[in-house]
C-alpha cells in the first residue's frame, strides 16, 4: 500500500477522488431537460442525478443533500419544474454552505425546455472551466471511504469474489480507512456471527435486530432477496446466499450500523441497514443494485466494489464502481466490463490473498485517477426512490471499540 494519494479538498475537510459537475433534476418532469444538458458534455465530468417523485419525502431530501455535497462533486446545477414539492431552496442552501457553486433553473420561470437547456449548458461550461483549474492535495489511505455491494450472485460469489473483497476490506480497516457493507435482507442467518464481531454488546443486539427487521419486512412482502438468477447460478437458499454476501465484510471488528446517508464518524467497518423502518409502505427495500450504490455514495463512499457472479455491466454517477467478477466463465464473456477476475481463485491461478491485494491496489489506482471499466464505457446509472428511516440509536454507533 502506498498510503499516499491525491484528492480535491472540500470545505468540510473531506477530499474527493473526482471533481464532477452534478446536474440534479428535482422531479421527473425536469428529467428530460437534465438529460439534454448532460448530453452536450459526453465524455466529460458532468453527471446526471435526480429524484423523480412529486411528493415530499424526508429520506429523498436528505439523500439529495448528501449526494450534492459528496466529496467527488465540485459544482451543482439544480433543475426544477416549479410546482413540485421538493424543497429546492433548502437543497441550494446546503450546497452553497458546503462551499460549492450552485445554481437553480426553474423550467416554468426560465422559458421552458429549450431555453432552460441553453442556460443549463452555459452554466455547466463555466463550471467545467473553473474545475479544470482545481489543484489536488495529498490524501492518505485512511481518508478513503469504500463501499461494497453484490449483485447477480451465483455459486461462485461466496467462494471467490466476496471473500476476496473481504480480504481487501481487512487491509483497508487496518490502515484506518472506512469500509461499508450491506445489506441486511441478504444477511439472514448470519446475524449471530456478525454479532460476535461487534465492538460492544449493545451493538451486537442492534445487529441482530437489523436482520430480524429485514426478515419481517421481506416476509410481509411475500418475497425474499433471492432471485431466479441466483438459483440458476447454483445457489439454493437465502441462507446460502447470505453466507456469500457476508464474506465480503471480511473479519474486522464491526464498528457500527449506519442508515443510508449517515456519514461514519471514524474509520472502521460499518453495516448499512438499507431496509426501511416502520410498516411496509414503499415496496422492495432496493429495486436494483444501483439503488444500493446510491445509498453508499450518500454515506460518503468514494467508490463501490461490486461483486458479481452472473455478470453486471452497470456503473454509477458521481462515484466509480469497481467490478469484481467471481465466475471465471462470466469474466471471459464480459471482460470489457470487469475490473478484477476473482474467478482465477476457482481455477487455481490465484489465492484469496492475491486477489485481495489486487483489489486494494486497484482502489489506490482509481483513487489516483485511473478509470474503472464502467467509467471508460460511460456507465452513469442512478436511481433514487421513496423510503422512510428512523434515526439510528446511540448503540448503533458506540463511542468505544
Amino acid at each position: 500500500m502506498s498510503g499516499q494519494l491525491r484528492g480535491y479538498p472540500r470545505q468540510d475537510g473531506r477530499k474527493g477522488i473526482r471533481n464532477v459537475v452534478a446536474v440534479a433534476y428535482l422531479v421527473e418532469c425536469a428529467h428530460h431537460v437534465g438529460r439534454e444538458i448532460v448530453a452536450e458534455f459526453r465524455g466529460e465530468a458532468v453527471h446526471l442525478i435526480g429524484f423523480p417523485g412529486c411528493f415530499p419525502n424526508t429520506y429523498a431530501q436528505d439523500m439529495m443533500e448528501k449526494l450534492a455535497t459528496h466529496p467527488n462533486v465540485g459544482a451543482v446545477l439544480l433543475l426544477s419544474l416549479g410546482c413540485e414539492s421538493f424543497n429546492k431552496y433548502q437543497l441550494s442552501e446546503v450546497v452553497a454552505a458546503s462551499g460549492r457553486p450552485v445554481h437553480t433553473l426553474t423550467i416554468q420561470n426560465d422559458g421552458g425546455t429549450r431555453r432552460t437547456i441553453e442556460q443549463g449548458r452555459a452554466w455547466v461550461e463555466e463550471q467545467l472551466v473553473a474545475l479544470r483549474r482545481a489543484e489536488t492535495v495529498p490524501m492518505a489511505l485512511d481518508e478513503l471511504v469504500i463501499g461494497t455491494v453484490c449483485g447477480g450472485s451465483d455459486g461462485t460469489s461466496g467462494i471467490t469474489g466476496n471473500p476476496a473483497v473481504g480480504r481487501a476490506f481487512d487491509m483497508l480497516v487496518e490502515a484506518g480507512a472506512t469500509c461499508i457493507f450491506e445489506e441486511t435482507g441478504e444477511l439472514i442467518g448470519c446475524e449471530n456471527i456478525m454479532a460476535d464481531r461487534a465492538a460492544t454488546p449493545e451493538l451486537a443486539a442492534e445487529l441482530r435486530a437489523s436482520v430480524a427487521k429485514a426478515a419481517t419486512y421481506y416476509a410481509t412482502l411475500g418475497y425474499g432477496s433471492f432471485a431466479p438468477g441466483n438459483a440458476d447460478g447454483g445457489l439454493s437458499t437465502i441462507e446460502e446466499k447470505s453466507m456469500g454476501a457476508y464474506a465480503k465484510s471480511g473479519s474486522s471488528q464491526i464498528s457500527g450500523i449506519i442508515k443510508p446517508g449517515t456519514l461514519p464518524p471514524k474509520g472502521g467497518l460499518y453495516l448499512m441497514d438499507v431496509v426501511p423502518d416502520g410498516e411496509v409502505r414503499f415496496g422492495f427495500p432496493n429495486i436494483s443494485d444501483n439503488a444500493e450504490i446510491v445509498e453508499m455514495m450518500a454515506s460518503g463512499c468514494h467508490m463501490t466494489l461490486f461483486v458479481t457472479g452472473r455478470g453486471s455491466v452497470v456503473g454509477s454517477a458521481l462515484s466509480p464502481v469497481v467490478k469484481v467478477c467471481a465466475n471465471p466463465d462470466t469474466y471471459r464473456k464480459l471482460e470489457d466490463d470487469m475490473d478484477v477476475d476473482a474467478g482465477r481463485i476457482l481455477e487455481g491461478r490465484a489465492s484469496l490473498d492475491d486477489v485481495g491485494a489486487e483489489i486494494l491496489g486497484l482502489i489506490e489506482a482509481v483513487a489516483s485517477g485511473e478509470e474503472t471499466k464502467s467509467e471508460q464505457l460511460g456507465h452513469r446509472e442512478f436511481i433514487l426512490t421513496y423510503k422512510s428511516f428512523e434515526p439510528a440509536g446511540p448503540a448503533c454507533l458506540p463511542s468505544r471499540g
Side-chain angles (χ1 to χ4, degrees), residues 99-117:
R100 292 167 173 82
V102 58
H103 183 59
T104 302
L105 291 173
T106 302
I107 297 168
Q108 291 171 348
N109 297 336
D110 287 310
T113 298
R114 184 173 289 108
R115 280 184 281 178
T116 305
I117 291 170

Side-chain angles (χ1 to χ4, degrees), residues 152-235:
S153 299
D154 69 4
T156 69
S157 298
I159 301 171
T160 62
N162 283 329
V165 166
R167 299 292 173 93
F169 261 30
D170 287 343
M171 289 184 279
L172 285 164
V173 171
E174 186 177 0
T178 302
C179 294
I180 306 173
F181 72 105
E182 50 71 57
E183 100 177 77
T184 46
E186 294 179 356
L187 291 169
I188 293 169
C190 299
E191 56 269 34
N192 289 324
I193 53 176
M194 273 201 305
D196 289 341
R197 293 167 57 192
T200 66
E202 295 80 11
L203 176 59
E206 293 289 346
L207 287 165
R208 293 189 181 94
S210 69
V211 176
K213 179 185 72 168
T216 300
Y217 194 100
Y218 277 106
T220 303
L221 285 174
Y223 295 92
S225 184
F226 192 89
N230 299 143
D232 291 343
L235 293 171

Side-chain angles (χ1 to χ4, degrees), residues 8 10 19-22 45 72-76 101 124-135:
Y8 297 95
R10 306 303 180 195
N19 208 17
V20 171
V21 178
N72 289 350
V73 172
V76 182
V124 168
E125 180 59 45
E126 291 176 4
Q127 300 312 308
L128 283 175
V129 171
L131 292 180
R132 290 185 191 111
R133 295 195 297 263
E135 295 184 356

Side-chain angles (χ1 to χ4, degrees), residues 141-164:
L141 195 65
D142 62 11
E143 296 180 86
L144 284 178
V145 183
I146 308 295
T148 187
V149 304
C150 51
S153 299
D154 69 4
T156 69
S157 298
I159 301 171
T160 62
N162 283 329

